[in-house]
Amino acid sequence: MIFRSRKNKNGNSGTAVEETSPAMSKADKLEEAGDHMAAVEALATENRVARDMELERRMVRLRHRAGIELTETDDSPPMGEPDYDSLEVEGDIPEIDASEMNAGIARAALLRFGCLIIRNVVPQDEALQMRDDIELSFQARDNEIVDGYFEEFVPDPPYAILERRWVSDGGGIWAADSPKFMFDMVDAFERVGLQDLVEGYLGERPAFSVNKCTLRRVPPDAGTAWHQDGAFLGDVKALNVWMSLSRCGDVAPGLDIVPKRIEEILPTGTDDALFPWSISDKVAEEAAGDTPILRPIFNPGDVILFDDVFLHRTGVDGTTMTENRYAIESWFFGPSTFPEEYVPLAF
Ligand SMILES: O=C(O)CCC(=O)C(=O)O
């Protein structure tokens, strides 16, 4: 938003009046014409030159409106083809460098091992900056400061937000509640090729959501529970891009994972399971069978991809870990399978 002083008849300055920036005017026209994502692009171009909270806030709103349209579809094109020939695995878990990443390898890895680790996806200094920004978002939320790092997103009716409290109690902030972070995150995902990878993997332009795109700050004594996200997402075509923004798995909580393809949703809420949707140790160990349960070490900017049937939990050890872990958990959906009670965003 530009503020310009309005001069009176004598040429003296009077009250300041608001004037819309050229990028905002362009976005207004594009939105009126129904092209929400072109409006996002116009604002993003301007925002890369001069950061502006108003633009960042508007982009979240436009992504939401584009997401509503995107998810009003019954089309479900086939998912990307797996490229088994390019998948070389040493050890128990497939791992590649960002320079090798593509949708075919990701599909092959998830179909064989349930997951794929990709190293160095975002440069470390950028990942650490994002870590600091997550910390600032938490501070803004905890001190009730509304400044672009944190402000609660209110969706267009009839969409409603029901479980924000549940996420914040679990050490998370929704990316949509941090317009500044959302801009940096989407920009980084686009720049490093994650957007193309997700689209190639799902076989269509993905939707993501307010509810399941979360910035995480996890302390060493955090709670944990084995789970498959499909237990509460329902029957979805989905991919989670989980990106570590600080070293974890040794000094800070990582992820405990069962690196094998599991086709079905396992029984939840049995034995010592903590929640109706979580899985007991007994069921998790039986499901793992001969597959070792791993706790990989991640550095800032590393990614693990997995889907809704992957068995995992937060990997905590209150006795040896001393630091918080920062990460992005971002779930992408084939639009026709978008979870009904979630609030859509276009990527
Ligand atoms: O970040 C964590 O510790 C948990 C992540 C998780 O459960 C998920 O990404 O589905």
Side-chain angles (χ1 to χ4, degrees):
M1 194 71 71
I2 296 171
F3 284 89
R4 185 161 292 163
S5 174
R6 179 188 282 154
K7 296 206 167 146
N8 63 23
K9 267 199 302 213
N10 307 321
N12 300 323
S13 291
T15 45
V17 290
E18 271 184 23
E19 218 173 79
T20 306
S21 72
M24 278 289 203
S25 304
K26 193 169 172 194
D28 287 344
K29 289 199 187 95
L30 288 164
E31 184 173 13
E32 236 174 82
D35 198 344
H36 296 102
M37 290 312 285
V40 169
E41 204 35 61
L43 299 179
T45 304
E46 175 63 24
N47 202 48
R48 284 184 200 109
V49 178
R51 297 296 293 252
D52 182 335
M53 195 172 71
E54 286 292 323
L55 304 184
E56 290 169 357
R57 185 180 288 140
R58 174 93 186 266
M59 279 186 272
V60 180
R61 173 76 44 207
L62 286 163
R63 284 190 184 281
H64 172 46
R65 292 185 177 155
I68 294 173
E69 285 178 5
L70 187 63
T71 51
E72 280 167 356
T73 179
D74 292 328
D75 276 4
S76 185
M79 293 175 75
E81 282 297 315
D83 177 3
Y84 292 113
D85 292 343
S86 303
L87 183 69
E88 288 168 19
V89 182
E90 286 167 24
D92 296 311
I93 185 164
E95 182 174 320
I96 57 172
D97 184 73
S99 56
E100 304 163 86
M101 81 183 184
N102 67 55
I105 293 187
R107 271 287 277 156
L110 268 74
L111 287 171
R112 290 247 164 99
F113 295 87
C115 64
L116 174 66
I117 292 179
I118 314 176
R119 301 287 180 190
N120 310 307
V121 177
V122 166
Q124 287 221 5
D125 54 347
E126 191 177 346
L128 292 174
Q129 180 62 54
M130 289 167 104
R131 173 202 65 188
D132 293 348
D133 286 345
I134 292 187
E135 182 54 39
L136 290 172
S137 299
F138 273 86
Q139 286 175 21
R141 185 198 66 190
D142 295 344
N143 296 310
E144 296 180 14
I145 300 166
V146 176
D147 65 353
Y149 280 98
F150 183 78
E151 52 187 66
E152 294 189 350
F153 179 74
V154 180
D156 288 355
Y159 290 92
I161 299 282
L162 300 176
E163 79 277 34
R164 185 178 270 113
R165 181 70 199 278
W166 189 74
V167 172
S168 52
D169 287 353
I173 286 182
W174 284 330
D177 284 345
S178 182
K180 181 190 180 309
F181 195 94
M182 173 73 98
F183 178 78
D184 288 326
M185 184 191 93
V186 174
D187 224 38
F189 275 35
E190 256 179 62
R191 190 169 6 93
V192 302
L194 279 173
Q195 188 178 29
D196 288 346
L197 183 143
V198 175
E199 187 161 341
Y201 180 95
L202 293 173
E204 59 186 319
R205 171 142 174 250
F208 68 127
S209 68
V210 171
N211 318 61
K212 204 115 174 86
C213 183
T214 305
L215 317 182
R216 294 205 171 277
R217 181 182 68 181
V218 181
D221 60 352
T224 185
W226 285 110
H227 64 281
Q228 295 164 295
D229 288 75
F232 44 84
L233 289 174
D235 191 12
V236 287
K237 189 169 148 191
L239 181 66
N240 182 14
V241 178
W242 186 95
M243 182 184 289
S244 180
L245 299 177
S246 59
R247 185 176 170 102
C248 66
D250 49 3
V251 293
L255 291 178
D256 290 340
I257 60 173
V258 178
K260 77 189 268 193
R261 184 73 195 168
I262 296 173
E263 291 295 348
E264 73 284 0
I265 296 295
L266 300 165
T268 58
T270 63
D271 313 299
D272 58 349
L274 281 178
F275 304 103
W277 48 265
S278 68
I279 290 170
S280 68
D281 287 353
K282 182 164 172 273
V283 171
E285 279 155 25
E286 278 169 12
D290 294 338
T291 304
I293 295 174
L294 302 180
R295 181 177 293 168
I297 290 177
F298 296 103
N299 282 305
D302 291 344
V303 159
I304 180 166
L305 302 177
F306 56 87
D307 69 6
D308 48 302
V309 282
F310 188 59
L311 182 55
H312 63 286
R313 68 177 177 187
T314 301
V316 286
D317 184 342
T319 55
T320 58
M321 295 174 173
T322 51
E323 293 172 24
N324 288 341
R325 179 257 282 162
Y326 296 80
I328 304 171
E329 173 189 349
S330 51
W331 285 84
F332 295 91
F333 301 99
S336 66
T337 67
F338 191 79
E340 222 168 77
E341 68 283 11
Y342 280 10
V343 176
L345 299 167
F347 195 49

